[in-house]
């Protein structure tokens, strides 16, 4: 196919955006509206990013639809009708498609093309971007909207090539995956595994769930949205959105400001029960100190552990499903519908691969260290992602002096505000490491980043500046702030993707900013008020 037919005839643009998920789409809309020429390259064949790829049975958002949506257009948020409290993947995808059509985004997106290289040219201050189709595009600004949970982490088991069944990853689920009546295995019991298991159990002939680490999961209490509730939210949208932007967690559900240790057990249980009934993440806000104080955390954990024991008939299985060794909330909490009760079904088995690890695959199935072979037709890898940095460093991004982003981040990702990294002028990492995005509502985080980048680009146009990058000092200071914010929480106590522990060889650094969404926003706003003193513009560089 020629470039023109694929829409790549224009090979010089102001802004090249990589990824047509919700961040990339908003960046396209916003920056075009400000008069920049923008092109988006997307490796998938449709919009939606995460919600395009994660189409495994049962995939559903764990943040409420009325919050997990764009706020930039009052008309859009009034017109779009969500049907359920937690939107399904098909509903999220339909929303993405609607946004693409409504704002006429498709003509500016090239689908089915993956960006493989991006090199900063120090002579003209532009990025030369290469794709797997051999295209070369020149852009003044490069916006990586590649997602924070999009580079799949795929274990390679010994003997994998011999396995006669099919292997699929939840994060790129093929639409023709057959499940009905088959012997299915699932490796992984994080958010994806916990969501897919009940749905596979409905259709598989036999289901084996290979669990290495049990995770805390809160019941979703999903339900259809009541029309009067939707009307109320829509009537108060501006106020509610602003409340979320200024909050700690990016949500309008308030944290109970009491300490769990300041009330008696009856009152504590009443509060936990109330939050449990609300469903989802709200549980962690039962008390002010659940995520910070080990004792308060233990009380909340014990409450959830008892819920697991009550849901599972077989006491040995129940004990295996009870998480140990990490505080509740220190790994991303899961939100489920009927996960634990699935293990009461006669054809569903929990296999403890902490006790007897997976040793490899055979022609017929999966083998564990105790010598047992588990016959399988389909192996589902719900094994997660090289989170927060993977999608950026999988592209061969080269900044000043030909240094790659992978080299620069070899000892841990360093950014300024999660948005830029020194030595890579005019490169923006939307919701990058060092930003609070994964600890809040991704839409809120993406909109803030895109708006902030847009303001900076307008500022540069007005100043006549060609390039921008943060100072090394600002980046160093921010990295220290990110580390300090994490130290005030229980997050670092767990092996999780927040610290890169799920990817062999990845340096252990707490990646998100845990100081709160509202505080982070104020810091970003202050940078602008202070005239971007923590950035270097090319005019300054010529002086140096
Ligand atoms: P994850 O939380 O990283 O879980 C991966 C699972 O795979 C873990 O249980 C891990 O065990 C296991 N695993 C990996 N390699 C293994 C191996 N070689 N042998 C045995 N077990 C192995 O990944 P995820 O479930 O895809 O979720 C990632 C994030 O995506 C979530 O935390 C959430 O932020 C997001 N997400 C959100 C939704 C939603 O909105 N509802 C749904 C899905 C995902 P260990 O823990 O022992 O390493």
């Amino acid at each position: 196919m020629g470039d023109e037919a694929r829409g790549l005839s224009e090979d010089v643009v102001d802004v090249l955006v990589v990824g047509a998920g919700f961040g990339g789409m908003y960046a396209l809309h916003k920056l075009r509206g400000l008069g920049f020429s923008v092109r988006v390259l997307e490796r998938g064949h449709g919009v939606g990013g995460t919600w395009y790829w994660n189409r495994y049975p049962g995939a559903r958002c764990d943040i409420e639809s009325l919050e997990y949506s764009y706020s930039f257009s009052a008309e859009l948020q009034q017109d779009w009708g969500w049907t359920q409290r937690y939107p399904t993947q098909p509903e999220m995808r339909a929303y993405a498609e609607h946004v693409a059509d409504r704002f006429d985004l498709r003509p500016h997106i090239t689908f089915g093309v993956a960006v493989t290289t991006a090199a900063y040219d120090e002579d003209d201050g532009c990025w030369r971007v290469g794709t797997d189709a051999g295209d070369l595009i020149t852009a003044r600004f490069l916006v990586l909207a590649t997602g924070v949970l999009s580079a799949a982490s795929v274990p390679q088991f010994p003997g994998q090539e011999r396995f006669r069944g099919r292997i699929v990853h939840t994060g790129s689920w093929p639409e023709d995956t057959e499940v009905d009546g088959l012997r299915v295995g699932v490796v992984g019991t994080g958010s994806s595994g916990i969501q897919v298991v009940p749905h596979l159990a409905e259709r598989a002939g036999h289901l084996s769930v290979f669990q290495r680490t049990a995770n805390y999961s809160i019941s979703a209490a999903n339900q259809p949205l009541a029309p009067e509730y939707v009307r109320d939210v829509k009537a108060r949208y501006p106020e509610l959105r602003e409340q979320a932007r200024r909050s700690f967690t990016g949500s309008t559900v308030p944290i109970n400001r009491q300490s769990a240790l300041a009330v008696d057990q009856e009152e504590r249980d009443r509060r936990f029960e109330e939050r449990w009934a609300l469903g989802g993440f709200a549980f962690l806000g039962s008390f002010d100190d659940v995520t910070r104080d080990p004792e308060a955390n233990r009380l909340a954990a014990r409450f959830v552990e008892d819920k697991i024991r009550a849901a599972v008939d077989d006491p040995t299985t129940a004990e295996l499903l009870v998480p140990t060794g990490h505080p509740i909330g220190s790994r991303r909490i899961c939100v489920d519908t009927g996960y634990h009760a699935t293990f009461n079904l006669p054809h569903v088995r929990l296999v403890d691969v902490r006790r007897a690890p997976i040793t490899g695959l055979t022609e017929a199935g999966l083998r564990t260290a105790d010598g047992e072979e588990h016959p399988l037709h389909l192996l589902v890898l719900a094994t997660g992602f090289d989170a927060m940095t993977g999608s950026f460093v999988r592209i061969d991004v080269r900044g000043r002096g030909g240094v790659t982003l992978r080299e620069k981040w070899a000892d841990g990702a360093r950014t300024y505000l999660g948005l830029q990294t020194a030595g890579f002028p005019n490169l923006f990492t939307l919701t990058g490491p060092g930003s609070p995005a994964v600890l809040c509502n991704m839409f809120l985080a993406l909109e803030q980043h895109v708006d902030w980048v847009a303001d900076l680009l307008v500022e540069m146009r007005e100043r006549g500046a060609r390039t921008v990058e943060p100072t090394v000092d600002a980046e160093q200071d921010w990295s220290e702030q990110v580390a300090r914010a994490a130290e005030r929480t229980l997050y670092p106590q767990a092996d999780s993707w927040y610290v890169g522990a799920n990817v062999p060889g990845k340096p252990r650094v707490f990646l998100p900013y845990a100081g709160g969404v509202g505080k982070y926003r104020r810091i970003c706003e202050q940078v602008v008020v202070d005239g971007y003193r923590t950035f270097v513009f090319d005019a300054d560089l010529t002086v140096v």
Side-chain angles (χ1 to χ4, degrees):
M1 199 188 290
D3 277 358
E4 196 136 358
R6 293 188 14 256
L8 279 185
S9 54
E10 189 185 351
D11 61 1
V12 179
V13 286
D14 292 331
V15 187
L16 186 76
V17 177
V18 187
F22 286 102
M25 285 201 291
Y26 180 47
L28 170 61
H29 173 70
K30 174 93 187 188
L31 294 170
R32 270 181 53 74
L34 291 168
F36 295 98
S37 64
V38 187
R39 173 140 297 277
V40 179
L41 300 185
E42 165 58 53
R43 72 188 165 102
H45 293 276
V47 292
T50 284
W51 298 105
Y52 171 86
W53 293 103
N54 284 266
R55 51 183 79 168
Y56 57 84
R60 185 189 284 281
C61 185
D62 55 12
I63 298 180
E64 297 191 26
S65 51
L66 285 159
E67 293 201 25
Y68 192 79
S69 45
Y70 284 126
S71 68
F72 72 83
S73 161
E75 296 77 18
L76 170 67
Q77 70 182 5
Q78 290 300 329
D79 292 351
W80 182 260
W82 296 105
T83 64
Q84 298 185 42
R85 182 177 180 199
Y86 295 104
T88 61
Q89 180 269 340
E91 195 167 9
M92 285 309 304
R93 224 183 131 193
Y95 178 64
E97 300 277 342
H98 171 80
V99 169
D101 292 335
R102 184 177 185 122
F103 297 100
D104 196 23
L105 304 180
R106 289 182 208 281
H108 314 285
I109 305 173
T110 307
F111 292 102
V113 64
V115 168
T116 50
T117 60
Y120 178 68
D121 187 329
E122 295 187 47
D123 290 336
D124 65 0
C126 286
W127 284 91
R128 310 263 180 258
V129 179
T131 73
D132 60 354
D135 310 297
L136 193 64
I137 300 146
T138 295
R140 280 189 63 211
F141 301 98
L142 179 59
V143 175
L144 298 182
T146 44
V148 287
L149 291 158
S150 53
S153 176
V154 186
Q156 292 297 313
F157 298 113
Q160 195 153 319
E161 64 294 342
R162 280 185 292 151
F163 181 54
R164 284 199 310 256
R166 188 168 190 188
I167 302 177
V168 299
H169 189 280
T170 46
S172 53
W173 187 268
E175 269 169 348
D176 63 352
T177 307
E178 286 178 20
V179 175
D180 294 340
L182 299 182
R183 292 191 70 88
V184 178
V186 177
V187 177
T189 51
S191 299
S192 304
I194 280 175
Q195 281 192 336
V196 79
V197 159
H199 289 261
L200 293 177
E202 281 175 14
R203 293 166 50 194
H206 185 274
L207 181 65
S208 298
V209 180
F210 300 98
Q211 173 189 276
R212 189 164 63 186
T213 309
N215 281 302
Y216 288 100
S217 187
I218 308 290
S219 147
N222 185 41
Q223 54 191 289
L225 285 171
E228 57 279 15
Y229 174 65
V230 174
R231 261 198 306 278
D232 174 56
V233 170
K234 287 191 172 181
R236 296 190 299 128
Y237 246 147
E239 167 205 336
L240 292 172
R241 298 289 200 185
E242 193 53 18
Q243 193 182 323
R245 289 182 198 118
R246 301 288 156 189
S247 71
F248 192 82
T249 60
S251 163
T252 52
V253 182
I255 296 170
N256 170 23
R257 288 299 168 199
Q258 273 179 310
S259 162
L261 309 175
V263 296
D264 63 21
Q265 188 172 341
E266 197 181 326
E267 170 64 4
R268 206 160 40 230
D269 285 346
R270 193 185 65 73
R271 284 275 183 190
F272 283 146
E273 205 60 70
E274 202 175 82
R275 288 283 173 142
W276 180 267
L278 260 183
F281 291 109
F283 181 80
L284 289 178
S286 305
F287 292 97
D288 196 33
D289 42 5
V290 166
T291 57
R292 287 181 288 109
D293 181 89
E295 207 183 325
N297 185 278
R298 190 82 282 283
L299 292 164
R302 207 171 294 150
F303 178 88
V304 175
E305 290 161 12
D306 286 344
K307 290 285 183 195
I308 297 171
R309 292 188 182 98
V312 181
D313 297 341
D314 173 44
T316 310
T317 306
E319 282 317 308
L320 260 184
L321 287 165
V322 169
T324 54
H326 66 271
I328 186 169
S330 61
R331 305 174 118 219
R332 159 95 173 193
I333 201 129
C334 304
V335 178
D336 76 280
T337 301
Y339 173 67
H340 294 106
T342 302
F343 293 95
N344 296 333
L345 297 171
H347 66 298
V348 178
R349 181 178 167 201
L350 184 66
V351 182
D352 180 4
V353 295
R354 165 84 52 198
R355 183 185 61 79
I358 299 168
T359 50
L361 294 185
T362 63
E363 282 191 2
L366 182 149
R367 199 183 284 281
T368 43
D370 52 5
E372 188 174 351
E373 183 171 354
H374 305 263
L376 298 174
H377 301 111
L378 172 68
L379 178 61
V380 174
L381 300 177
T383 47
F385 304 91
D386 182 353
M388 301 204 70
T389 55
S391 76
F392 301 133
V393 299
R394 283 185 189 192
I395 301 172
D396 184 32
V397 181
R398 288 171 190 269
R400 287 186 193 284
V403 174
T404 66
L405 202 50
R406 189 180 283 281
E407 285 162 352
K408 169 154 186 199
W409 288 356
D411 297 327
R414 272 177 300 125
T415 69
Y416 181 46
L417 302 170
L419 278 158
Q420 275 211 292
T421 189
F424 295 76
N426 292 5
L427 173 76
F428 296 95
T429 49
L430 288 193
T431 61
S435 81
V438 293
L439 301 179
C440 69
N441 167 349
M442 198 48 81
F443 272 86
L444 184 150
L446 285 166
E447 285 190 333
Q448 188 223 344
H449 270 194
V450 169
D451 289 343
W452 197 92
V453 170
D455 286 348
L456 175 56
L457 266 51
V458 169
E459 168 83 13
M460 289 176 72
R461 187 162 62 190
E462 283 165 7
R463 285 189 190 196
R466 199 179 52 146
T467 64
V468 64
E469 65 186 294
T471 66
V472 173
D473 285 351
E475 183 172 291
Q476 180 59 27
D477 179 60
W478 184 246
S479 299
E480 287 164 16
Q481 287 196 51
V482 171
R484 274 200 303 275
E487 280 159 20
R488 286 192 285 270
T489 71
L490 302 176
Y491 286 122
Q493 292 187 19
D495 288 337
S496 69
W497 59 257
Y498 291 141
V499 296
N502 64 323
V503 176
K506 193 165 173 175
R508 192 181 179 104
V509 172
F510 188 79
L511 292 165
Y513 173 68
V517 166
K519 182 173 176 189
Y520 173 78
R521 182 177 284 265
R522 283 197 304 279
I523 293 169
C524 291
E525 287 168 348
Q526 194 59 43
V527 169
V528 180
V529 171
D530 292 344
Y532 298 97
R533 281 199 318 245
T534 39
F535 286 87
V536 184
F537 294 86
D538 60 345
D540 307 332
L541 278 176
T542 53
V543 174
V544 172

